[in-house]
Amino acid sequence: MAKETRRPQTNLCTYDEHSIHLRGVDLVDDMIGKMGFTEVFFRQFMNRAPSAAEVTVLDAILVTLMEHGLTPSAISARMIASSAPEALQAAIAAGILGVGSRFVGTIEDSALLLKELVDAPEGFEARAEAVIARYRAERKAVPGFGHHLHRPDDPRSIRLLALADELGLGGKYVTGIRDLSTILDRIAGKHLTINATGAIGALLCEIDVPPSIARGIAVVSRAAGLVAHIREEQEDPACRFIWDMAEHELSAPHKKG
Amino acid sequence: MAKETRRPQTNLCTYDEHSIHLRGVDLVDDMIGKMGFTEVFFRQFMNRAPSAAEVTVLDAILVTLMEHGLTPSAISARMIASSAPEALQAAIAAGILGVGSRFVGTIEDSALLLKELVDAPEGFEARAEAVIARYRAERKAVPGFGHHLHRPDDPRSIRLLALADELGLGGKYVTGIRDLSTILDRIAGKHLTINATGAIGALLCEIDVPPSIARGIAVVSRAAGLVAHIREEQEDPACRFIWDMAEHELSAPHKKG
Amino acid sequence: MAKETRRPQTNLCTYDEHSIHLRGVDLVDDMIGKMGFTEVFFRQFMNRAPSAAEVTVLDAILVTLMEHGLTPSAISARMIASSAPEALQAAIAAGILGVGSRFVGTIEDSALLLKELVDAPEGFEARAEAVIARYRAERKAVPGFGHHLHRPDDPRSIRLLALADELGLGGKYVTGIRDLSTILDRIAGKHLTINATGAIGALLCEIDVPPSIARGIAVVSRAAGLVAHIREEQEDPACRFIWDMAEHELSAPHKKG
Amino acid sequence: MAKETRRPQTNLCTYDEHSIHLRGVDLVDDMIGKMGFTEVFFRQFMNRAPSAAEVTVLDAILVTLMEHGLTPSAISARMIASSAPEALQAAIAAGILGVGSRFVGTIEDSALLLKELVDAPEGFEARAEAVIARYRAERKAVPGFGHHLHRPDDPRSIRLLALADELGLGGKYVTGIRDLSTILDRIAGKHLTINATGAIGALLCEIDVPPSIARGIAVVSRAAGLVAHIREEQEDPACRFIWDMAEHELSAPHKKG
C-alpha cells in the first residue's frame, strides 16, 4: 500500500496502557506537577529542552500577545460564543482564524527579514537599505515597524528587548532589529515604532524558533486570551449589542416595494 | 441607538498610547518577564490572582491534555496544514474544533456531575446511586469514567489527584470523584478507570473554574500540542500518506460505465 | 491491523485517470452542464435522485437562509476576512461556526419535534399538549415558534409552507406544523409566529432529509451568503468601523496607574 | 465616535417586520420558489442578475468541485464530525479550511495569470513565455497546469471549456488558457494537463467574477460535498479506522523507561 511513498513517522508521543511519553519523557512521572506548560510546549515543538531563560522569553511572548481588548479576533469569538454556546471550541477557533497576515501573523515576516539581513553576504546595512527601499517603493510598512496607536514607541517592544538583554539572550537578532530601526529612521527622516510583533520576531530568532512556526505561538496565546472573552460573554453578553449597533449604523435603508 | 439594551462592558484590557493593563495590572511593568503564561491566563479568565498551588494545578492540567499522538484532532490539523500551509492558524483551528462532546470536552460533564453530587440535598451517595442507575439504563458511560486504552487505571488521573493532595487542594471534589469511583465499582461489579477528563473535572472544581469554561482550558492545551504536530508535518509530512491510505482502504471500487 | 474494526466504505465518489463518478453517475458526461448544484448536492447527501419538486424545495430553503444582514455570523466572517485577507476560506469558516443552537441550528429541533408528534402513539394533539406544557414550564420557546422581529407572522414561513402545498409536497409534517401552531396559540392565549426554521424543519421532513444532517443545509446556504459579505468587505470594509465602535462603546476606562 | 472613519454601508439585505429584500429584490415574493440557489448566490456576490448561461456555468463549477473522495478536506471534516457530532457546523468548517493554496485555492492564481496575459502590453505570447520561464526557473507548476492523477488530460477541464463554447461564453480567457497550454507544451517539450482549477479560473474570468472572491465559490461547493461525507460518517463511521491506521503505521515505537 502506498509503496512509493517514504513512510513518515511521528515522534511527539508514544504510549501504552500504563505510560505516556512526550518526546521520550514520561508524562506522569516527570512532567505533570514538575514542568510548567511553557516548558512542555517548547519541548514539543522545538524537540529539545529549553534553558530557564528561554522559558522566560517564551512566557514573555505568550503574555504579551494574549490580550488587546475587543480586537477583530475577540469580536469574532464572541459572536460565535453567543450563536453556538454549546460549542466553546468553535468560538475559540473563530477567533484564532484572525491571526493572519494583518496583525500578529506579521511576526514571521519580521523574523524572516532579520534572518535575511543578518545572513546577507553584502552586509547587514547594505541589505537593510535595499530592503527598506523596496518596501518604500511599494508603499508598504517594513515588517516589525509602525503602530497605529503605540507611538512614538511601543512599550511592549522596549520591555521585550530589554528582557532579552537581561537574560543574556540578546544576540545578533536583538541587535539587528535595533540597528534596522536606526537605519529605517534615518532613511524615513522620522522615528518609526518597533512594534511588538517586530520585537517578538527578534526574540524568537534568538531562541531558534523557525519562522514557519512562529505564528503558532501567537495562536496559542490568543486562544488563551479568548477564553477570558468567552467567559465575559457568558456573564455580560456583548454580542447582541454589537450586532444591533452594526445593523443600525451600517445597513442601507429598507425600501418596501 | 439600541436604547433598550443594557450596555455591557469589557474589563479584560484597557490601554492608551503608553500603557496596556490586563485586569488592571500593567502588562509591561508588572507582567512581561515577571509572570508566566499560566498565571496570566488564570488571572484573565478567573478575574483574580491564583495561588502558587493553583498555578501548579493549571499547569498540570495544561500539560496533561497537550498531546496524545495522532488523534482525530491532530490528523485534522495536519490535513489542513498540508492543504493551506500559508495559514497555520487554520490548521490549529481545524484541530481544536475536535474538542467536542466525545473526547476532552467531557471535562465539563465530569465537573457538573461532581458539583451535582456534592450539593445534593439527599446526600452524595444517594444521588450518586441514582445518577449511576440512570446512566446504566441509557447504556452510557458515567462522565469521567472508562477508557478504551488506559486500564485498569489511567496513570494521569492517579497522578493528578495525588498532586492535588500534595498541594493541599484536594477537597470535596477530589474526595468526591474517589467516592464516586468506589460507588460505581460496587454497582458495576468491576473496576472502572477514572479517566483524565474525570480527574481534571475534579481539579477544576477545586480551583473554582466554572464548568462552562472548562473546555477552553483543554482547547488552549491542545492548540499548543498541535503546533508541534504542524512543525512535524512541515519537516516530515504525513498528510499524503494518510490520504492515500484512507483512499486505498476505504473507497468503493471504480466501475467505469 | 485494526482487525477488530469492521471496515467502513465510502461510496460518494470513485475515479480513475479518465473518469470521476459521483454516487455512480459520471461527473463529466452526465452532470457538468446537465444537472444544477442543488440536484447534485441532494443526490450526494441523500443517496437518491430528487424529484423536480424536491429540487425546488431544497432551492427554496437554500435561498431563504442565505442572508439576513449583519448577523453575528456575517460580523465574524468580516472580522476574519479583514484580519487574514489571504485566507478567504478562514473567513467563511469563522462565519459558519455560528450556525449553532441559537439561530438556524434550531431547524433540527423543529424537525425532530414534528417527527415525534406525528409518530406519537397517543396521537398528535395529546403529545403536542404535553410537549408544549414542558417547554412552557421550562420557560423555553417551542422549536420553530417565535421571532424577535417578524411578528405576527414570518413572511418566509408562510411562503415556504404554501410552496410545499403548490408542489404537492405538503403532507403530514406541513399539516403538522400548522396544527401545532393552532394548539400552541390556544394554550398560549395569543398568536405565536411560525418562524423560518420551523417551516424549514417541516419541509425537510417532507422530503425525507434526516434531522441529523439538516444543519448542513443551513451551513451551505450561509456559506454562500458569506461570500457576498466578504466581497463587500473587500470593496467597502466595515471591520475597522465595527471594531472602533465596539471598543469605544464597551471598553472600561483606562486608568494609568 | 470614530469620526475620522468614512462610514461603510452594507447593501446585501434590508428588512422590516413584513419583508426582506436581497439586493433590492423581495425574498418572499420574488425569490423563494422562483429563483434557484445558484442564481441568488450569483446575484448576491456579483451585485447583478446573471444570464441563463452564467447560471449554467456557475452550476457547472459548483458541481465540478463538490467531491473527489477522501481528500484531506473530507478526512478533516470526518475527524471533527466524529469528535464533536453535536456541532456539524464545526466539521464543515474544519473541512473547508483546507481550501488553501495547495488544492482548489489555485483557481485564483489561474484567473490572475490569464488576466495578466490577456492584458499584457507586449502581447499574450511574449508575456506567456516570460511567465513560463519564471515558473520553470523556480521549479514550480504554472497555475492551472499539471495533475498527479488525471493525465494526459483532465476530463473535467475539457468538458468545462467545451461547455463555455456551447453557451457562447468562451471568449478571450477560454481561448487564452488553450493558447497558454499550446505555448507551455511547446516549451516543456511534452503535454501538460490543463487541470480543473485552470479551466475554472478561465470560466470565472469569462463571467467577470473577481479573482479575489473565486475561492469562495470553491468553498461553497466543498461545503456541500462535506455534508454528504458527514452523513456517511454518521451511518458508517470511518474516523476510528483512519485514526487506528495512522497511529499503527506512523507512530514511533513506545519504549517504557
Side-chain angles (χ1 to χ4, degrees):
Chain A
M1 190 191 68
K3 287 186 217 74
E4 78 289 357
T5 319
R6 195 192 66 78
R7 184 161 301 204
Q9 184 171 295
T10 178
N11 295 290
L12 300 174
C13 178
T14 64
Y15 54 85
D16 61 16
E17 297 89 321
H18 308 298
S19 70
I20 298 163
H21 292 180
L22 303 192
R23 295 276 192 197
V25 178
D26 191 300
L27 171 66
V28 167
D29 290 348
D30 299 322
M31 289 182 149
I32 296 175
K34 293 178 183 164
M35 292 184 194
F37 165 82
T38 306
E39 175 173 355
V40 178
F41 178 33
F42 186 105
R43 281 171 171 271
Q44 288 300 104
F45 74 85
M46 289 296 284
N47 195 19
R48 68 172 173 87
S51 69
E54 287 173 325
V55 171
T56 301
V57 161
L58 183 53
D59 265 325
I61 292 168
L62 289 166
V63 165
T64 298
L65 295 172
M66 199 184 293
E67 177 58 52
H68 208 288
L70 286 173
T71 56
S73 180
I75 291 172
S76 180
R78 283 168 173 265
M79 293 293 126
I80 303 308
S82 214
S83 304
E86 71 285 359
L88 197 148
Q89 75 276 19
I92 299 180
I96 63 172
L97 286 171
V99 182
S101 64
R102 282 279 178 81
F103 303 114
V104 279
T106 50
I107 292 167
E108 66 207 66
D109 298 323
S110 164
L112 285 167
L113 173 57
L114 291 172
K115 282 182 179 289
E116 178 188 345
L117 300 184
V118 163
D119 296 340
E122 73 269 40
F124 188 101
E125 186 160 359
R127 179 68 70 99
E129 287 170 353
V131 166
I132 291 168
R134 200 180 68 226
Y135 277 101
R136 287 173 65 86
E138 295 174 356
R139 297 184 175 280
K140 287 184 183 167
V142 175
F145 290 87
H147 199 279
H148 72 284
L149 174 72
H150 297 298
R151 286 183 291 198
D153 286 307
D154 187 327
R156 298 170 294 180
S157 312
I158 293 174
R159 176 74 190 110
L160 286 165
L161 297 175
L163 179 67
D165 292 337
E166 290 165 25
L167 294 166
L169 290 171
K172 59 189 172 181
Y173 301 103
V174 165
T175 304
I177 199 166
R178 287 172 171 144
D179 289 348
L180 178 59
S181 172
T182 303
I183 298 165
L184 179 59
D185 285 1
R186 170 168 54 76
I187 294 173
K190 64 177 176 179
H191 178 58
L192 289 162
T193 308
I194 300 178
N195 60 39
T197 58
I200 289 170
L203 265 61
L204 289 177
C205 289
E206 296 290 354
I207 61 175
D208 292 323
V209 174
S212 68
I213 207 70
R215 193 182 292 193
I217 295 166
V219 169
V220 169
S221 172
R222 279 292 162 106
L226 293 171
V227 174
H229 277 279
I230 294 166
R231 178 65 186 146
E232 208 177 49
E233 186 72 21
Q234 290 172 348
E235 296 191 306
D236 186 15
C239 173
R240 169 64 69 177
F241 189 90
I242 295 170
W243 178 9
D244 286 346
M245 203 163 55
E247 277 281 47
H248 185 272
E249 300 290 326
L250 304 179
S251 287
H254 182 62
K255 285 171 215 144
K256 173 81 183 179
Chain B
M1 190 190 70
K3 288 186 216 74
E4 78 289 355
T5 318
R6 195 192 67 76
R7 183 161 303 207
Q9 184 171 296
T10 178
N11 295 288
L12 300 174
C13 178
T14 66
Y15 55 86
D16 62 16
E17 298 88 324
H18 307 298
S19 69
I20 298 162
H21 292 179
L22 303 193
R23 296 272 194 201
V25 178
D26 192 299
L27 171 66
V28 168
D29 290 349
D30 299 321
M31 289 182 147
I32 295 174
K34 294 180 181 161
M35 290 184 196
F37 166 82
T38 307
E39 175 172 355
V40 179
F41 178 32
F42 186 105
R43 281 170 171 273
Q44 288 300 103
F45 74 83
M46 289 295 286
N47 196 19
R48 67 172 173 85
S51 67
E54 286 173 326
V55 171
T56 302
V57 161
L58 184 53
D59 265 325
I61 292 169
L62 289 166
V63 165
T64 299
L65 294 171
M66 198 182 292
E67 178 56 53
H68 207 289
L70 286 173
T71 56
S73 181
I75 292 171
S76 180
R78 282 167 173 264
M79 294 292 124
I80 303 308
S82 213
S83 304
E86 71 285 359
L88 197 149
Q89 75 276 20
I92 299 181
I96 64 172
L97 286 171
V99 183
S101 64
R102 280 280 178 83
F103 304 117
V104 279
T106 50
I107 293 168
E108 66 206 67
D109 298 323
S110 164
L112 286 167
L113 173 57
L114 291 173
K115 282 184 178 287
E116 177 188 345
L117 300 184
V118 161
D119 296 340
E122 73 269 41
F124 187 100
E125 185 161 359
R127 179 67 71 99
E129 287 171 353
V131 166
I132 292 168
R134 200 180 67 226
Y135 277 101
R136 287 173 64 86
E138 295 174 355
R139 297 185 174 281
K140 287 186 184 165
V142 175
F145 290 87
H147 199 281
H148 74 284
L149 174 73
H150 297 298
R151 284 183 292 195
D153 286 307
D154 186 329
R156 299 169 296 180
S157 311
I158 292 174
R159 176 75 189 110
L160 287 165
L161 296 175
L163 180 66
D165 292 337
E166 289 165 25
L167 294 167
L169 289 172
K172 58 190 173 181
Y173 300 104
V174 166
T175 303
I177 198 165
R178 286 169 172 150
D179 289 348
L180 178 58
S181 172
T182 304
I183 299 165
L184 178 58
D185 286 1
R186 173 168 51 77
I187 294 174
K190 63 176 175 181
H191 179 58
L192 289 162
T193 308
I194 300 178
N195 60 39
T197 58
I200 289 170
L203 264 62
L204 289 176
C205 289
E206 296 290 355
I207 62 175
D208 292 324
V209 174
S212 68
I213 207 70
R215 193 181 292 193
I217 295 165
V219 169
V220 170
S221 171
R222 280 291 162 107
L226 294 171
V227 174
H229 278 280
I230 294 166
R231 179 65 186 145
E232 207 176 50
E233 187 71 22
Q234 291 173 347
E235 296 192 306
D236 185 14
C239 173
R240 169 63 69 177
F241 189 90
I242 294 170
W243 177 9
D244 285 346
M245 201 164 53
E247 278 281 45
H248 184 272
E249 300 289 325
L250 304 179
S251 288
H254 182 62
K255 286 172 215 141
K256 173 84 183 177
Chain C
M1 188 190 72
K3 286 187 219 70
E4 78 290 355
T5 318
R6 194 191 67 74
R7 184 163 300 206
Q9 184 170 298
T10 178
N11 295 289
L12 300 174
C13 178
T14 66
Y15 55 85
D16 61 16
E17 297 87 324
H18 308 298
S19 71
I20 299 163
H21 291 180
L22 303 193
R23 294 275 193 199
V25 178
D26 192 299
L27 172 66
V28 167
D29 290 348
D30 299 323
M31 290 182 148
I32 294 174
K34 295 179 181 162
M35 292 184 195
F37 166 82
T38 306
E39 176 173 354
V40 179
F41 178 33
F42 186 105
R43 280 170 173 272
Q44 289 300 103
F45 75 83
M46 289 296 285
N47 195 19
R48 67 171 174 85
S51 69
E54 286 173 327
V55 171
T56 303
V57 162
L58 184 53
D59 265 325
I61 292 168
L62 289 166
V63 166
T64 300
L65 294 172
M66 199 183 291
E67 180 54 54
H68 208 289
L70 286 173
T71 56
S73 180
I75 292 172
S76 179
R78 283 167 174 267
M79 294 294 125
I80 303 308
S82 214
S83 304
E86 71 285 359
L88 196 150
Q89 74 276 21
I92 299 181
I96 64 172
L97 286 172
V99 182
S101 64
R102 282 279 178 83
F103 304 116
V104 280
T106 51
I107 292 168
E108 66 206 66
D109 298 325
S110 164
L112 286 168
L113 173 57
L114 290 173
K115 281 182 179 289
E116 177 188 346
L117 299 184
V118 162
D119 297 340
E122 73 270 40
F124 188 100
E125 185 159 359
R127 179 67 70 98
E129 288 171 352
V131 166
I132 292 169
R134 200 181 68 225
Y135 277 102
R136 287 172 65 85
E138 294 174 357
R139 298 183 176 278
K140 288 186 184 165
V142 175
F145 291 87
H147 199 280
H148 73 284
L149 174 72
H150 297 298
R151 286 183 290 194
D153 285 308
D154 186 327
R156 299 171 293 180
S157 311
I158 292 173
R159 176 75 189 109
L160 287 166
L161 296 175
L163 179 66
D165 292 338
E166 290 165 24
L167 294 167
L169 288 171
K172 58 191 175 183
Y173 301 104
V174 166
T175 303
I177 199 166
R178 287 171 171 146
D179 290 347
L180 178 59
S181 173
T182 304
I183 298 165
L184 179 59
D185 285 3
R186 172 167 53 75
I187 294 174
K190 64 176 177 182
H191 178 58
L192 289 163
T193 307
I194 300 178
N195 61 39
T197 57
I200 289 170
L203 264 62
L204 289 176
C205 290
E206 296 289 355
I207 60 174
D208 291 326
V209 175
S212 67
I213 207 71
R215 192 181 293 193
I217 295 165
V219 168
V220 170
S221 171
R222 280 292 162 105
L226 294 171
V227 174
H229 277 280
I230 294 165
R231 178 66 186 143
E232 208 177 48
E233 186 71 22
Q234 289 174 349
E235 294 191 308
D236 186 15
C239 172
R240 170 64 69 178
F241 189 89
I242 295 170
W243 177 10
D244 285 347
M245 201 164 56
E247 279 280 47
H248 184 272
E249 300 290 326
L250 304 179
S251 287
H254 183 63
K255 284 172 214 143
K256 174 83 183 178
Chain D
M1 190 190 71
K3 287 188 218 73
E4 77 288 359
T5 318
R6 194 194 67 78
R7 183 162 302 207
Q9 184 171 296
T10 178
N11 295 290
L12 300 174
C13 178
T14 67
Y15 55 85
D16 62 15
E17 297 88 322
H18 307 298
S19 70
I20 299 163
H21 292 181
L22 303 193
R23 294 275 192 199
V25 178
D26 192 299
L27 171 66
V28 167
D29 290 348
D30 300 321
M31 289 183 149
I32 295 175
K34 294 178 183 162
M35 290 183 194
F37 165 81
T38 306
E39 176 172 356
V40 179
F41 178 33
F42 187 104
R43 282 171 171 272
Q44 289 300 104
F45 75 82
M46 288 296 285
N47 195 19
R48 67 172 173 87
S51 68
E54 287 173 326
V55 171
T56 302
V57 162
L58 184 53
D59 265 325
I61 293 169
L62 289 166
V63 165
T64 299
L65 295 171
M66 199 183 291
E67 178 57 51
H68 209 288
L70 286 174
T71 55
S73 181
I75 292 172
S76 179
R78 283 169 173 263
M79 293 294 125
I80 303 308
S82 214
S83 304
E86 71 287 357
L88 196 150
Q89 74 276 19
I92 299 180
I96 64 173
L97 286 171
V99 183
S101 64
R102 282 279 178 84
F103 305 115
V104 281
T106 50
I107 292 167
E108 67 207 65
D109 298 323
S110 164
L112 286 167
L113 173 56
L114 291 173
K115 282 182 178 289
E116 177 187 346
L117 300 184
V118 162
D119 297 340
E122 73 270 40
F124 187 100
E125 186 161 358
R127 179 69 69 101
E129 287 170 353
V131 166
I132 291 168
R134 200 182 68 226
Y135 277 101
R136 286 172 65 85
E138 294 174 358
R139 297 183 177 281
K140 287 185 184 167
V142 176
F145 290 86
H147 199 281
H148 72 284
L149 174 71
H150 297 298
R151 286 183 289 198
D153 286 306
D154 187 329
R156 299 170 295 179
S157 311
I158 293 174
R159 176 75 190 111
L160 287 165
L161 296 175
L163 180 66
D165 292 337
E166 290 164 26
L167 293 167
L169 289 171
K172 59 188 172 183
Y173 301 105
V174 166
T175 303
I177 198 165
R178 286 171 173 147
D179 290 348
L180 179 58
S181 173
T182 303
I183 299 165
L184 179 58
D185 285 1
R186 172 169 52 77
I187 294 174
K190 63 177 175 180
H191 179 58
L192 289 162
T193 308
I194 301 179
N195 61 39
T197 58
I200 289 170
L203 264 63
L204 290 176
C205 290
E206 295 291 354
I207 60 174
D208 292 325
V209 174
S212 68
I213 207 72
R215 193 182 292 194
I217 295 165
V219 169
V220 170
S221 172
R222 280 293 161 104
L226 294 172
V227 174
H229 276 282
I230 294 166
R231 178 66 185 144
E232 208 177 49
E233 186 72 21
Q234 290 173 348
E235 294 192 307
D236 186 15
C239 173
R240 169 63 69 175
F241 189 89
I242 295 169
W243 178 8
D244 285 347
M245 204 164 52
E247 279 280 46
H248 184 272
E249 300 290 326
L250 305 179
S251 288
H254 182 63
K255 286 173 215 142
K256 174 82 182 177

